[in-house]
Amino acid sequence: MTLIDLTVMYSSDDRCRELLERLRWPSGPVCPRCNDTTPARLENTPKILYCRKCDYQFTVTSGTIFHDSHLPLIKWFATALLICEAKKGISALQIKRTVGMAYKTAWYLCHRIRKAMTEVDREPLGGTVEIDETYMGGKHLHRGHAEKFDNKEVVVGIRQRGGDLRFFHAEDAKSGTLARYIKEHISEDVEVIVTDEWTAYPKAMIDAGVHGSRHKTIKHKDRVYVQGEIHTNTVESAFSLLKRGIVGSWHKVSAKHLAAYLEEMTFRFNRRKRSDLFLDTLRHMVTADPLTFEDLTA
Ligand SMILES: [Zn+2]
């Protein structure tokens, strides 16, 4: 899907709605209140559906991330497409200029799309899994370990080799925190977990029940970066993409919203080889709960 295709195929709000309806209700409209599958369309305004069972009017965007938006749907679509196509992220300022809207509208819009890119119900990672942490403050990401960067935000990265990537805005990089991420996101049947020599990992592995030979350590301190299959290069390459996003596109990410940017980055990264990235993003948007401006800025 290119921006040109998009403007041709979804030139009107009605066409955008037809697509959203197919994505939200593949087997036909369903009342969001009582799940009745026979709502009627209002004769003069077919975008409005009416449920006789529970006497409720709704549209395909009711109760979703689009809720209460006065922005034409094509602007939502164009912004979502630009976000999908921007491997390193795209700023609200760029959306303001390219799609055409006020800066505050663009900022809020990007955050709503980002929220829809949050994954739920993720399968545990297995096979060979790499874990690494990085430290971020202001616009800079830092290599190195926690005691050196007291006022930085910690980002933990976990990547299954040949599989999915996850980033977390962690409270710290201590063993207890790392053990929690390992338990929550890595399968008990994992073959190997590779980390660097950060002193918190051995205890984290014990706490998480990963014993002995399944934890491999690469000694970056000794300038060893790859020892056969033992390296953390694939999670580090994802960190460098994140770094380029923060320095190059978003310029500055506040601690408050860091987790949301991490979700956007991993959502896109994990679907980078899928041809339906844009449609899947729209599907997430039309099934995600609303995010009010008050909640976002609270
Ligand atoms: Zn109903």
Side-chain angles (χ1 to χ4, degrees), residues 210-244:
V210 178
H211 292 298
S213 61
R214 285 196 292 163
H215 177 213
K216 306 281 186 204
T217 305
I218 189 82
K219 294 203 168 58
H220 289 164
K221 211 168 46 200
D222 302 340
R223 298 188 178 279
V224 176
Y225 296 96
V226 179
Q227 210 169 31
E229 289 299 295
I230 305 172
H231 61 79
T232 53
N233 289 355
T234 78
V235 70
E236 283 171 40
S237 70
F239 272 139
S240 71
L241 194 64
L242 173 67
K243 177 177 178 172
R244 279 179 277 154

PDB file of all heavy atoms in Angstrom, residues 210-244:
ATOM      1  N   VAL A 210      15.995 -20.584  35.522  1.00  0.00           N
ATOM      2  CA  VAL A 210      16.794 -20.971  34.345  1.00  0.00           C
ATOM      3  C   VAL A 210      18.153 -21.423  34.857  1.00  0.00           C
ATOM      4  O   VAL A 210      18.945 -20.619  35.345  1.00  0.00           O
ATOM      5  CB  VAL A 210      16.984 -19.781  33.377  1.00  0.00           C
ATOM      6  CG1 VAL A 210      17.845 -20.195  32.187  1.00  0.00           C
ATOM      7  CG2 VAL A 210      15.633 -19.256  32.920  1.00  0.00           C
ATOM      8  N   HIS A 211      18.393 -22.713  34.776  1.00  0.00           N
ATOM      9  CA  HIS A 211      19.579 -23.226  35.459  1.00  0.00           C
ATOM     10  C   HIS A 211      20.755 -23.498  34.542  1.00  0.00           C
ATOM     11  O   HIS A 211      20.596 -23.782  33.368  1.00  0.00           O
ATOM     12  CB  HIS A 211      19.228 -24.481  36.264  1.00  0.00           C
ATOM     13  CG  HIS A 211      18.323 -24.145  37.411  1.00  0.00           C
ATOM     14  ND1 HIS A 211      18.719 -23.305  38.424  1.00  0.00           N
ATOM     15  CD2 HIS A 211      17.042 -24.482  37.659  1.00  0.00           C
ATOM     16  CE1 HIS A 211      17.707 -23.170  39.272  1.00  0.00           C
ATOM     17  NE2 HIS A 211      16.671 -23.859  38.829  1.00  0.00           N
ATOM     18  N   GLY A 212      21.908 -23.362  35.149  1.00  0.00           N
ATOM     19  CA  GLY A 212      23.196 -23.806  34.628  1.00  0.00           C
ATOM     20  C   GLY A 212      23.471 -23.452  33.193  1.00  0.00           C
ATOM     21  O   GLY A 212      23.528 -22.285  32.816  1.00  0.00           O
ATOM     22  N   SER A 213      23.605 -24.501  32.384  1.00  0.00           N
ATOM     23  CA  SER A 213      24.166 -24.334  31.045  1.00  0.00           C
ATOM     24  C   SER A 213      23.231 -23.610  30.078  1.00  0.00           C
ATOM     25  O   SER A 213      23.630 -23.265  28.981  1.00  0.00           O
ATOM     26  CB  SER A 213      24.495 -25.713  30.472  1.00  0.00           C
ATOM     27  OG  SER A 213      23.289 -26.465  30.399  1.00  0.00           O
ATOM     28  N   ARG A 214      21.995 -23.399  30.476  1.00  0.00           N
ATOM     29  CA  ARG A 214      21.095 -22.704  29.539  1.00  0.00           C
ATOM     30  C   ARG A 214      21.362 -21.196  29.488  1.00  0.00           C
ATOM     31  O   ARG A 214      20.877 -20.506  28.602  1.00  0.00           O
ATOM     32  CB  ARG A 214      19.637 -22.985  29.893  1.00  0.00           C
ATOM     33  CG  ARG A 214      19.241 -24.403  29.478  1.00  0.00           C
ATOM     34  CD  ARG A 214      17.755 -24.567  29.454  1.00  0.00           C
ATOM     35  NE  ARG A 214      17.194 -24.493  30.798  1.00  0.00           N
ATOM     36  CZ  ARG A 214      15.909 -24.284  31.053  1.00  0.00           C
ATOM     37  NH1 ARG A 214      15.054 -24.106  30.078  1.00  0.00           N
ATOM     38  NH2 ARG A 214      15.475 -24.237  32.288  1.00  0.00           N
ATOM     39  N   HIS A 215      22.103 -20.670  30.451  1.00  0.00           N
ATOM     40  CA  HIS A 215      22.471 -19.253  30.405  1.00  0.00           C
ATOM     41  C   HIS A 215      23.890 -19.101  29.884  1.00  0.00           C
ATOM     42  O   HIS A 215      24.832 -19.605  30.487  1.00  0.00           O
ATOM     43  CB  HIS A 215      22.357 -18.632  31.810  1.00  0.00           C
ATOM     44  CG  HIS A 215      22.791 -17.198  31.849  1.00  0.00           C
ATOM     45  ND1 HIS A 215      23.397 -16.636  32.951  1.00  0.00           N
ATOM     46  CD2 HIS A 215      22.714 -16.212  30.920  1.00  0.00           C
ATOM     47  CE1 HIS A 215      23.674 -15.358  32.691  1.00  0.00           C
ATOM     48  NE2 HIS A 215      23.271 -15.084  31.480  1.00  0.00           N
ATOM     49  N   LYS A 216      24.028 -18.426  28.750  1.00  0.00           N
ATOM     50  CA  LYS A 216      25.359 -18.195  28.170  1.00  0.00           C
ATOM     51  C   LYS A 216      25.678 -16.709  28.269  1.00  0.00           C
ATOM     52  O   LYS A 216      24.804 -15.866  28.054  1.00  0.00           O
ATOM     53  CB  LYS A 216      25.394 -18.604  26.694  1.00  0.00           C
ATOM     54  CG  LYS A 216      24.928 -20.027  26.435  1.00  0.00           C
ATOM     55  CD  LYS A 216      26.000 -21.031  26.760  1.00  0.00           C
ATOM     56  CE  LYS A 216      25.548 -22.428  26.340  1.00  0.00           C
ATOM     57  NZ  LYS A 216      26.238 -23.485  27.084  1.00  0.00           N
ATOM     58  N   THR A 217      26.948 -16.445  28.564  1.00  0.00           N
ATOM     59  CA  THR A 217      27.364 -15.058  28.753  1.00  0.00           C
ATOM     60  C   THR A 217      28.446 -14.691  27.753  1.00  0.00           C
ATOM     61  O   THR A 217      29.390 -15.451  27.548  1.00  0.00           O
ATOM     62  CB  THR A 217      27.931 -14.885  30.182  1.00  0.00           C
ATOM     63  OG1 THR A 217      26.946 -15.341  31.100  1.00  0.00           O
ATOM     64  CG2 THR A 217      28.256 -13.438  30.473  1.00  0.00           C
ATOM     65  N   ILE A 218      28.275 -13.530  27.146  1.00  0.00           N
ATOM     66  CA  ILE A 218      29.315 -13.017  26.253  1.00  0.00           C
ATOM     67  C   ILE A 218      30.029 -11.887  26.994  1.00  0.00           C
ATOM     68  O   ILE A 218      29.384 -11.035  27.599  1.00  0.00           O
ATOM     69  CB  ILE A 218      28.725 -12.579  24.885  1.00  0.00           C
ATOM     70  CG1 ILE A 218      29.811 -12.255  23.887  1.00  0.00           C
ATOM     71  CG2 ILE A 218      27.754 -11.428  25.005  1.00  0.00           C
ATOM     72  CD1 ILE A 218      30.381 -13.480  23.194  1.00  0.00           C
ATOM     73  N   LYS A 219      31.363 -11.929  26.980  1.00  0.00           N
ATOM     74  CA  LYS A 219      32.117 -10.969  27.803  1.00  0.00           C
ATOM     75  C   LYS A 219      32.536  -9.750  26.994  1.00  0.00           C
ATOM     76  O   LYS A 219      33.630  -9.669  26.458  1.00  0.00           O
ATOM     77  CB  LYS A 219      33.338 -11.670  28.412  1.00  0.00           C
ATOM     78  CG  LYS A 219      32.949 -12.760  29.410  1.00  0.00           C
ATOM     79  CD  LYS A 219      34.055 -13.048  30.397  1.00  0.00           C
ATOM     80  CE  LYS A 219      33.588 -13.902  31.558  1.00  0.00           C
ATOM     81  NZ  LYS A 219      33.017 -15.211  31.165  1.00  0.00           N
ATOM     82  N   HIS A 220      31.616  -8.776  26.950  1.00  0.00           N
ATOM     83  CA  HIS A 220      31.915  -7.550  26.201  1.00  0.00           C
ATOM     84  C   HIS A 220      33.099  -6.796  26.791  1.00  0.00           C
ATOM     85  O   HIS A 220      33.818  -6.108  26.087  1.00  0.00           O
ATOM     86  CB  HIS A 220      30.679  -6.656  26.177  1.00  0.00           C
ATOM     87  CG  HIS A 220      29.586  -7.192  25.301  1.00  0.00           C
ATOM     88  ND1 HIS A 220      28.289  -6.754  25.358  1.00  0.00           N
ATOM     89  CD2 HIS A 220      29.609  -8.147  24.334  1.00  0.00           C
ATOM     90  CE1 HIS A 220      27.557  -7.413  24.464  1.00  0.00           C
ATOM     91  NE2 HIS A 220      28.333  -8.266  23.844  1.00  0.00           N
ATOM     92  N   LYS A 221      33.263  -6.940  28.091  1.00  0.00           N
ATOM     93  CA  LYS A 221      34.357  -6.263  28.781  1.00  0.00           C
ATOM     94  C   LYS A 221      35.715  -6.685  28.193  1.00  0.00           C
ATOM     95  O   LYS A 221      36.637  -5.892  28.093  1.00  0.00           O
ATOM     96  CB  LYS A 221      34.301  -6.654  30.263  1.00  0.00           C
ATOM     97  CG  LYS A 221      34.796  -5.595  31.208  1.00  0.00           C
ATOM     98  CD  LYS A 221      34.431  -5.937  32.658  1.00  0.00           C
ATOM     99  CE  LYS A 221      34.737  -7.384  32.990  1.00  0.00           C
ATOM    100  NZ  LYS A 221      34.014  -7.885  34.154  1.00  0.00           N
ATOM    101  N   ASP A 222      35.785  -7.957  27.821  1.00  0.00           N
ATOM    102  CA  ASP A 222      37.033  -8.473  27.239  1.00  0.00           C
ATOM    103  C   ASP A 222      37.074  -8.257  25.727  1.00  0.00           C
ATOM    104  O   ASP A 222      37.863  -8.883  25.021  1.00  0.00           O
ATOM    105  CB  ASP A 222      37.169  -9.983  27.526  1.00  0.00           C
ATOM    106  CG  ASP A 222      37.156 -10.274  29.011  1.00  0.00           C
ATOM    107  OD1 ASP A 222      37.426  -9.324  29.788  1.00  0.00           O
ATOM    108  OD2 ASP A 222      36.866 -11.422  29.397  1.00  0.00           O
ATOM    109  N   ARG A 223      36.165  -7.399  25.245  1.00  0.00           N
ATOM    110  CA  ARG A 223      36.063  -7.093  23.812  1.00  0.00           C
ATOM    111  C   ARG A 223      35.759  -8.335  22.971  1.00  0.00           C
ATOM    112  O   ARG A 223      36.197  -8.462  21.836  1.00  0.00           O
ATOM    113  CB  ARG A 223      37.337  -6.391  23.301  1.00  0.00           C
ATOM    114  CG  ARG A 223      37.557  -5.068  24.006  1.00  0.00           C
ATOM    115  CD  ARG A 223      38.687  -4.277  23.399  1.00  0.00           C
ATOM    116  NE  ARG A 223      38.833  -3.001  24.088  1.00  0.00           N
ATOM    117  CZ  ARG A 223      38.075  -1.931  23.849  1.00  0.00           C
ATOM    118  NH1 ARG A 223      37.144  -1.957  22.936  1.00  0.00           N
ATOM    119  NH2 ARG A 223      38.264  -0.822  24.531  1.00  0.00           N
ATOM    120  N   VAL A 224      35.029  -9.253  23.578  1.00  0.00           N
ATOM    121  CA  VAL A 224      34.567 -10.416  22.815  1.00  0.00           C
ATOM    122  C   VAL A 224      33.093 -10.156  22.516  1.00  0.00           C
ATOM    123  O   VAL A 224      32.303  -9.924  23.420  1.00  0.00           O
ATOM    124  CB  VAL A 224      34.700 -11.721  23.639  1.00  0.00           C
ATOM    125  CG1 VAL A 224      34.123 -12.902  22.859  1.00  0.00           C
ATOM    126  CG2 VAL A 224      36.160 -11.960  23.984  1.00  0.00           C
ATOM    127  N   TYR A 225      32.717 -10.131  21.261  1.00  0.00           N
ATOM    128  CA  TYR A 225      31.336  -9.813  20.915  1.00  0.00           C
ATOM    129  C   TYR A 225      30.582 -10.994  20.315  1.00  0.00           C
ATOM    130  O   TYR A 225      29.369 -11.062  20.386  1.00  0.00           O
ATOM    131  CB  TYR A 225      31.284  -8.596  19.979  1.00  0.00           C
ATOM    132  CG  TYR A 225      31.808  -7.377  20.702  1.00  0.00           C
ATOM    133  CD1 TYR A 225      33.133  -6.984  20.569  1.00  0.00           C
ATOM    134  CD2 TYR A 225      30.997  -6.696  21.593  1.00  0.00           C
ATOM    135  CE1 TYR A 225      33.623  -5.907  21.274  1.00  0.00           C
ATOM    136  CE2 TYR A 225      31.473  -5.615  22.312  1.00  0.00           C
ATOM    137  CZ  TYR A 225      32.797  -5.224  22.154  1.00  0.00           C
ATOM    138  OH  TYR A 225      33.268  -4.166  22.882  1.00  0.00           O
ATOM    139  N   VAL A 226      31.317 -11.912  19.728  1.00  0.00           N
ATOM    140  CA  VAL A 226      30.676 -13.096  19.171  1.00  0.00           C
ATOM    141  C   VAL A 226      31.552 -14.301  19.454  1.00  0.00           C
ATOM    142  O   VAL A 226      32.760 -14.268  19.234  1.00  0.00           O
ATOM    143  CB  VAL A 226      30.508 -12.983  17.623  1.00  0.00           C
ATOM    144  CG1 VAL A 226      29.858 -14.240  17.068  1.00  0.00           C
ATOM    145  CG2 VAL A 226      29.684 -11.762  17.254  1.00  0.00           C
ATOM    146  N   GLN A 227      30.934 -15.347  20.009  1.00  0.00           N
ATOM    147  CA  GLN A 227      31.653 -16.590  20.248  1.00  0.00           C
ATOM    148  C   GLN A 227      30.738 -17.687  19.717  1.00  0.00           C
ATOM    149  O   GLN A 227      29.894 -18.195  20.445  1.00  0.00           O
ATOM    150  CB  GLN A 227      31.867 -16.739  21.760  1.00  0.00           C
ATOM    151  CG  GLN A 227      33.101 -17.483  22.143  1.00  0.00           C
ATOM    152  CD  GLN A 227      33.348 -17.335  23.651  1.00  0.00           C
ATOM    153  OE1 GLN A 227      32.408 -17.207  24.437  1.00  0.00           O
ATOM    154  NE2 GLN A 227      34.595 -17.351  24.050  1.00  0.00           N
ATOM    155  N   GLY A 228      30.860 -17.962  18.435  1.00  0.00           N
ATOM    156  CA  GLY A 228      29.941 -18.900  17.807  1.00  0.00           C
ATOM    157  C   GLY A 228      28.519 -18.368  17.898  1.00  0.00           C
ATOM    158  O   GLY A 228      28.243 -17.251  17.469  1.00  0.00           O
ATOM    159  N   GLU A 229      27.650 -19.160  18.520  1.00  0.00           N
ATOM    160  CA  GLU A 229      26.245 -18.762  18.650  1.00  0.00           C
ATOM    161  C   GLU A 229      26.017 -17.844  19.846  1.00  0.00           C
ATOM    162  O   GLU A 229      24.892 -17.397  20.087  1.00  0.00           O
ATOM    163  CB  GLU A 229      25.380 -20.025  18.805  1.00  0.00           C
ATOM    164  CG  GLU A 229      25.258 -20.851  17.541  1.00  0.00           C
ATOM    165  CD  GLU A 229      24.603 -20.066  16.421  1.00  0.00           C
ATOM    166  OE1 GLU A 229      23.419 -19.719  16.577  1.00  0.00           O
ATOM    167  OE2 GLU A 229      25.285 -19.781  15.412  1.00  0.00           O
ATOM    168  N   ILE A 230      27.085 -17.607  20.591  1.00  0.00           N
ATOM    169  CA  ILE A 230      26.906 -16.812  21.808  1.00  0.00           C
ATOM    170  C   ILE A 230      27.191 -15.349  21.517  1.00  0.00           C
ATOM    171  O   ILE A 230      28.337 -14.921  21.411  1.00  0.00           O
ATOM    172  CB  ILE A 230      27.816 -17.345  22.929  1.00  0.00           C
ATOM    173  CG1 ILE A 230      27.538 -18.829  23.139  1.00  0.00           C
ATOM    174  CG2 ILE A 230      27.589 -16.569  24.231  1.00  0.00           C
ATOM    175  CD1 ILE A 230      28.477 -19.504  24.059  1.00  0.00           C
ATOM    176  N   HIS A 231      26.122 -14.604  21.343  1.00  0.00           N
ATOM    177  CA  HIS A 231      26.258 -13.159  21.136  1.00  0.00           C
ATOM    178  C   HIS A 231      24.897 -12.524  21.404  1.00  0.00           C
ATOM    179  O   HIS A 231      23.876 -13.236  21.484  1.00  0.00           O
ATOM    180  CB  HIS A 231      26.725 -12.848  19.711  1.00  0.00           C
ATOM    181  CG  HIS A 231      25.770 -13.319  18.649  1.00  0.00           C
ATOM    182  ND1 HIS A 231      24.631 -12.641  18.320  1.00  0.00           N
ATOM    183  CD2 HIS A 231      25.767 -14.451  17.881  1.00  0.00           C
ATOM    184  CE1 HIS A 231      23.977 -13.299  17.377  1.00  0.00           C
ATOM    185  NE2 HIS A 231      24.634 -14.412  17.098  1.00  0.00           N
ATOM    186  N   THR A 232      24.892 -11.217  21.564  1.00  0.00           N
ATOM    187  CA  THR A 232      23.619 -10.520  21.749  1.00  0.00           C
ATOM    188  C   THR A 232      23.415  -9.527  20.608  1.00  0.00           C
ATOM    189  O   THR A 232      22.777  -8.492  20.763  1.00  0.00           O
ATOM    190  CB  THR A 232      23.576  -9.794  23.113  1.00  0.00           C
ATOM    191  OG1 THR A 232      24.743  -8.971  23.220  1.00  0.00           O
ATOM    192  CG2 THR A 232      23.545 -10.762  24.275  1.00  0.00           C
ATOM    193  N   ASN A 233      23.949  -9.881  19.449  1.00  0.00           N
ATOM    194  CA  ASN A 233      23.913  -8.935  18.327  1.00  0.00           C
ATOM    195  C   ASN A 233      22.520  -8.653  17.795  1.00  0.00           C
ATOM    196  O   ASN A 233      22.243  -7.554  17.324  1.00  0.00           O
ATOM    197  CB  ASN A 233      24.769  -9.467  17.170  1.00  0.00           C
ATOM    198  CG  ASN A 233      26.238  -9.409  17.501  1.00  0.00           C
ATOM    199  OD1 ASN A 233      26.614  -8.885  18.555  1.00  0.00           O
ATOM    200  ND2 ASN A 233      27.075  -9.938  16.632  1.00  0.00           N
ATOM    201  N   THR A 234      21.616  -9.643  17.850  1.00  0.00           N
ATOM    202  CA  THR A 234      20.317  -9.377  17.218  1.00  0.00           C
ATOM    203  C   THR A 234      19.471  -8.448  18.085  1.00  0.00           C
ATOM    204  O   THR A 234      18.758  -7.593  17.572  1.00  0.00           O
ATOM    205  CB  THR A 234      19.535 -10.663  16.831  1.00  0.00           C
ATOM    206  OG1 THR A 234      18.935 -11.209  17.987  1.00  0.00           O
ATOM    207  CG2 THR A 234      20.409 -11.686  16.159  1.00  0.00           C
ATOM    208  N   VAL A 235      19.583  -8.559  19.410  1.00  0.00           N
ATOM    209  CA  VAL A 235      18.847  -7.602  20.248  1.00  0.00           C
ATOM    210  C   VAL A 235      19.538  -6.240  20.198  1.00  0.00           C
ATOM    211  O   VAL A 235      18.888  -5.196  20.193  1.00  0.00           O
ATOM    212  CB  VAL A 235      18.643  -8.121  21.694  1.00  0.00           C
ATOM    213  CG1 VAL A 235      19.912  -8.181  22.497  1.00  0.00           C
ATOM    214  CG2 VAL A 235      17.609  -7.265  22.433  1.00  0.00           C
ATOM    215  N   GLU A 236      20.854  -6.241  20.070  1.00  0.00           N
ATOM    216  CA  GLU A 236      21.562  -4.955  19.971  1.00  0.00           C
ATOM    217  C   GLU A 236      21.226  -4.214  18.681  1.00  0.00           C
ATOM    218  O   GLU A 236      21.155  -2.990  18.673  1.00  0.00           O
ATOM    219  CB  GLU A 236      23.072  -5.173  20.068  1.00  0.00           C
ATOM    220  CG  GLU A 236      23.512  -5.427  21.503  1.00  0.00           C
ATOM    221  CD  GLU A 236      24.959  -5.863  21.572  1.00  0.00           C
ATOM    222  OE1 GLU A 236      25.777  -5.303  20.827  1.00  0.00           O
ATOM    223  OE2 GLU A 236      25.246  -6.779  22.363  1.00  0.00           O
ATOM    224  N   SER A 237      21.014  -4.951  17.592  1.00  0.00           N
ATOM    225  CA  SER A 237      20.665  -4.255  16.348  1.00  0.00           C
ATOM    226  C   SER A 237      19.280  -3.616  16.476  1.00  0.00           C
ATOM    227  O   SER A 237      19.028  -2.545  15.922  1.00  0.00           O
ATOM    228  CB  SER A 237      20.750  -5.193  15.147  1.00  0.00           C
ATOM    229  OG  SER A 237      19.709  -6.129  15.201  1.00  0.00           O
ATOM    230  N   ALA A 238      18.402  -4.252  17.255  1.00  0.00           N
ATOM    231  CA  ALA A 238      17.085  -3.644  17.497  1.00  0.00           C
ATOM    232  C   ALA A 238      17.230  -2.392  18.371  1.00  0.00           C
ATOM    233  O   ALA A 238      16.535  -1.398  18.158  1.00  0.00           O
ATOM    234  CB  ALA A 238      16.151  -4.652  18.153  1.00  0.00           C
ATOM    235  N   PHE A 239      18.153  -2.436  19.326  1.00  0.00           N
ATOM    236  CA  PHE A 239      18.405  -1.245  20.139  1.00  0.00           C
ATOM    237  C   PHE A 239      18.931  -0.090  19.283  1.00  0.00           C
ATOM    238  O   PHE A 239      18.607   1.067  19.527  1.00  0.00           O
ATOM    239  CB  PHE A 239      19.430  -1.541  21.239  1.00  0.00           C
ATOM    240  CG  PHE A 239      18.832  -2.079  22.505  1.00  0.00           C
ATOM    241  CD1 PHE A 239      19.454  -3.114  23.201  1.00  0.00           C
ATOM    242  CD2 PHE A 239      17.659  -1.554  23.025  1.00  0.00           C
ATOM    243  CE1 PHE A 239      18.913  -3.615  24.373  1.00  0.00           C
ATOM    244  CE2 PHE A 239      17.104  -2.051  24.196  1.00  0.00           C
ATOM    245  CZ  PHE A 239      17.736  -3.085  24.869  1.00  0.00           C
ATOM    246  N   SER A 240      19.747  -0.418  18.285  1.00  0.00           N
ATOM    247  CA  SER A 240      20.290   0.679  17.492  1.00  0.00           C
ATOM    248  C   SER A 240      19.197   1.315  16.632  1.00  0.00           C
ATOM    249  O   SER A 240      19.211   2.519  16.394  1.00  0.00           O
ATOM    250  CB  SER A 240      21.515   0.240  16.686  1.00  0.00           C
ATOM    251  OG  SER A 240      21.121  -0.600  15.656  1.00  0.00           O
ATOM    252  N   LEU A 241      18.206   0.504  16.218  1.00  0.00           N
ATOM    253  CA  LEU A 241      17.063   1.071  15.496  1.00  0.00           C
ATOM    254  C   LEU A 241      16.257   2.001  16.419  1.00  0.00           C
ATOM    255  O   LEU A 241      15.851   3.093  16.039  1.00  0.00           O
ATOM    256  CB  LEU A 241      16.172  -0.069  14.992  1.00  0.00           C
ATOM    257  CG  LEU A 241      15.123   0.258  13.944  1.00  0.00           C
ATOM    258  CD1 LEU A 241      15.774   0.710  12.648  1.00  0.00           C
ATOM    259  CD2 LEU A 241      14.248  -0.973  13.674  1.00  0.00           C
ATOM    260  N   LEU A 242      16.081   1.561  17.658  1.00  0.00           N
ATOM    261  CA  LEU A 242      15.377   2.385  18.643  1.00  0.00           C
ATOM    262  C   LEU A 242      16.120   3.701  18.874  1.00  0.00           C
ATOM    263  O   LEU A 242      15.522   4.768  18.911  1.00  0.00           O
ATOM    264  CB  LEU A 242      15.268   1.611  19.969  1.00  0.00           C
ATOM    265  CG  LEU A 242      14.704   2.385  21.156  1.00  0.00           C
ATOM    266  CD1 LEU A 242      13.227   2.716  20.939  1.00  0.00           C
ATOM    267  CD2 LEU A 242      14.869   1.593  22.454  1.00  0.00           C
ATOM    268  N   LYS A 243      17.428   3.586  18.970  1.00  0.00           N
ATOM    269  CA  LYS A 243      18.247   4.780  19.196  1.00  0.00           C
ATOM    270  C   LYS A 243      18.101   5.761  18.033  1.00  0.00           C
ATOM    271  O   LYS A 243      17.942   6.961  18.239  1.00  0.00           O
ATOM    272  CB  LYS A 243      19.704   4.349  19.350  1.00  0.00           C
ATOM    273  CG  LYS A 243      20.656   5.495  19.512  1.00  0.00           C
ATOM    274  CD  LYS A 243      22.069   4.976  19.723  1.00  0.00           C
ATOM    275  CE  LYS A 243      23.036   6.138  19.842  1.00  0.00           C
ATOM    276  NZ  LYS A 243      24.366   5.708  20.241  1.00  0.00           N
ATOM    277  N   ARG A 244      18.099   5.222  16.812  1.00  0.00           N
ATOM    278  CA  ARG A 244      17.946   6.107  15.657  1.00  0.00           C
ATOM    279  C   ARG A 244      16.557   6.733  15.635  1.00  0.00           C
ATOM    280  O   ARG A 244      16.388   7.862  15.205  1.00  0.00           O
ATOM    281  CB  ARG A 244      18.237   5.354  14.362  1.00  0.00           C
ATOM    282  CG  ARG A 244      19.743   5.261  14.102  1.00  0.00           C
ATOM    283  CD  ARG A 244      20.051   4.496  12.839  1.00  0.00           C
ATOM    284  NE  ARG A 244      20.046   3.067  13.092  1.00  0.00           N
ATOM    285  CZ  ARG A 244      19.783   2.129  12.183  1.00  0.00           C
ATOM    286  NH1 ARG A 244      19.456   2.486  10.957  1.00  0.00           N
ATOM    287  NH2 ARG A 244      19.812   0.862  12.500  1.00  0.00           N
TER     288      ARG A 244
END
